[in-house]
Amino acid sequence: MSLDITFAERLCQLRAERKMGVRELGRAVDVTGMHISNLEKGKSAPSSDLVIKLATALDANVDELLFLANQVSPEVIDVIHQNHLAVPNFLRSAKNLTPEQWEKLQKQVDKMSKE
Amino acid sequence: MSELNIEFAEISLADIEAKAQKLIEDYEDNTGKRVRTPVPVESIAEHYLGYTIDITNEGLFSDPHYLGGIVFDENIIRVNASVENHEGRYNFTIAHEIGHHMLHREQFLASRDAETPNIMCRENKAKPLVERQADQFASALLMPREQVSRAVEKLHIPTGEITAKALRVMASQVIKSGGFTNVSNTAMANRLITLGFARGVDFQTGRSIDMLRSTDARGYSKTDRWLYKKIKTVFNFIR
């Protein structure tokens, strides 16, 4: 996931890669073509719901787009609300982990989820 | 907006038609797909010519008279948001701006000076030479001669001298039979006149030339004079 790109630039890139028209994308996510143009120019900020719809329409990674749009998935917010003490504590403890350790941790969590 | 201070050359209609046809063929070669109607002008502009389409209502485009514009330096085609939901106008505007790219870009970039605006605009009122040329290009691109001819032949309808009303009906039938779903009735009517399938009607407006010709020195048409006589007869009868 590149940190050097803005949401607007990534949206332009994805639309070009999928060869979708500006109105076509707008219609797929229930907004006007002008709204898509404004997002591509960085003049509007999308809601998390719209980012999720855009990711689906463009067959893109929803977490990448949410991150670039500075949004948090409603699903993640639910997890925080349901574990309002555990999640902040966990994140504080994990803040200095390396990417490799995060990967290990992810595998461990995946294993636990299947149990 | 200040006017373009560049003297553009005349281009024959045949050359404009040929350039539009060549663009379609180049696009087909590039994509490996045959272009069918409706001609995908959005895709030609964005995915082949490398422009970004920007639908906007800001700046110049807060005025609905400015339907579109092309900024060569930034590779942007701007379309007025007021036409976004008018299939015909939206596509014609993009095709018109592609016309500027194909016909005027080189000369614009070579001849401009500090006074030249950085955008060429499509207005729905004033029509200088470059705008008429871009309109002709848009027509040829959206309604290729061959496809229109085939659609007319398929209908087995009489061509030639025609009234304005019959031309509207004919345009609508050709749009349907030829699959030209992204052009307006007026655009098709004008194309049918250009291609010689309809005669006797005024270009652009679709008004009957016969009606215009028959006006007398005071500006009254045949219909006006006929109505006047009838009213006078009835009036005399009552009196």
Side-chain angles (χ1 to χ4, degrees):
Chain A
M1 195 186 298
S2 171
L3 300 175
D4 302 331
I5 195 169
T6 64
F7 175 81
E9 288 164 344
R10 185 70 181 123
L11 184 61
C12 285
Q13 233 177 38
L14 285 166
R15 190 170 68 75
E17 281 168 19
R18 305 291 180 264
K19 295 196 185 309
M20 277 182 104
V22 66
R23 288 191 313 171
E24 185 186 358
L25 179 58
R27 284 168 187 168
V29 297
D30 304 317
V31 299
T32 62
M34 183 170 73
H35 193 59
I36 298 295
S37 284
N38 285 336
L39 292 173
E40 289 186 346
K41 287 183 284 187
K43 288 196 167 180
S44 297
S47 65
S48 56
D49 282 350
L50 181 55
V51 176
I52 292 165
K53 281 184 183 178
L54 285 166
T56 308
L58 293 163
D59 195 19
N61 184 320
V62 67
D63 290 327
E64 180 198 6
L65 286 186
L66 281 165
F67 167 75
L68 293 174
N70 220 3
Q71 292 283 356
V72 181
S73 158
E75 194 188 357
V76 173
I77 292 173
D78 275 353
V79 175
I80 298 170
H81 282 173
Q82 284 162 22
N83 306 278
H84 61 283
L85 295 176
V87 173
N89 273 337
F90 170 77
L91 291 176
R92 268 186 222 107
S93 309
K95 71 177 177 188
N96 293 322
L97 293 184
T98 63
E100 292 75 30
Q101 286 172 317
W102 271 108
E103 206 174 313
K104 241 178 180 178
L105 191 61
Q106 180 67 54
K107 280 181 187 158
Q108 193 61 35
V109 173
D110 287 345
K111 206 171 153 191
M112 285 168 74
S113 304
K114 283 175 195 159
E115 284 171 7
Chain B
M1 198 187 83
S2 54
E3 281 192 18
L4 277 183
N5 54 354
I6 300 169
E7 198 72 29
F8 286 92
E10 292 270 354
I11 311 172
S12 72
L13 189 56
D15 279 351
I16 292 174
E17 293 271 345
K19 279 181 198 278
Q21 190 52 41
K22 174 84 172 48
L23 175 62
I24 290 178
E25 287 163 11
D26 289 347
Y27 177 76
E28 286 177 336
D29 287 347
N30 183 268
T31 57
K33 279 188 278 182
R34 196 168 157 75
V35 169
R36 299 187 192 285
T37 52
V39 175
V41 289
E42 255 186 302
S43 178
I44 292 173
E46 287 206 303
H47 310 131
Y48 178 60
L49 297 175
Y51 282 87
T52 296
I53 290 173
D54 173 24
I55 303 176
T56 181
N57 61 3
E58 291 175 342
L60 199 60
F61 299 97
S62 58
D63 179 349
H65 286 118
Y66 290 102
L67 303 175
I70 186 162
V71 189
F72 297 123
D73 293 323
E74 296 170 39
N75 274 14
I76 290 178
I77 288 177
R78 299 202 200 282
V79 182
N80 196 309
S82 65
V83 302
E84 183 180 341
N85 294 319
H86 297 263
E87 208 52 36
R89 282 191 141 193
Y90 179 79
N91 284 284
F92 200 91
T93 299
I94 292 171
H96 173 103
E97 302 310 335
I98 294 175
H100 283 314
H101 169 86
M102 299 298 292
L103 307 174
H104 309 125
R105 183 177 181 273
E106 267 179 45
Q107 200 185 338
F108 179 93
L109 295 177
S111 317
R112 66 175 168 183
D113 56 31
E115 304 292 308
T116 312
N118 73 339
I119 185 167
M120 291 185 82
C121 275
R122 178 180 183 225
E123 288 183 60
N124 69 355
K125 38 184 187 184
K127 285 277 168 72
L129 176 69
V130 277
E131 297 307 306
R132 292 198 305 275
Q133 289 171 344
D135 272 356
Q136 287 164 349
F137 184 94
S139 256
L141 183 64
L142 283 162
M143 297 162 279
R145 178 188 294 270
E146 200 188 311
Q147 276 95 322
V148 174
S149 303
R150 231 182 293 136
V152 171
E153 279 163 24
K154 209 162 84 182
L155 286 167
H156 301 292
I157 46 173
T159 56
E161 285 289 328
I162 199 167
T163 64
K165 199 174 167 188
L167 175 61
R168 290 277 177 210
V169 174
M170 184 182 182
S172 153
Q173 288 174 321
V174 173
I175 286 172
K176 210 170 164 191
S177 89
F180 298 97
T181 52
N182 61 352
V183 305
S184 69
N185 187 285
T186 302
M188 181 55 81
N190 285 327
R191 186 69 174 146
L192 291 170
I193 295 168
T194 304
L195 296 178
F197 291 114
R199 287 193 305 274
V201 274
D202 189 21
F203 196 76
Q204 289 292 339
T205 60
R207 277 179 304 178
S208 165
I209 282 175
D210 286 344
M211 283 296 285
L212 295 173
R213 274 193 195 133
S214 65
T215 55
D216 64 17
R218 292 166 301 167
Y220 294 122
S221 70
K222 257 183 194 171
T223 318
D224 294 335
R225 291 195 296 270
W226 177 82
L227 263 174
Y228 176 71
K229 272 184 196 165
K230 287 284 172 201
I231 292 167
K232 204 172 163 188
T233 312
V234 173
F235 185 73
N236 286 340
F237 178 74
I238 295 167
R239 201 168 54 172

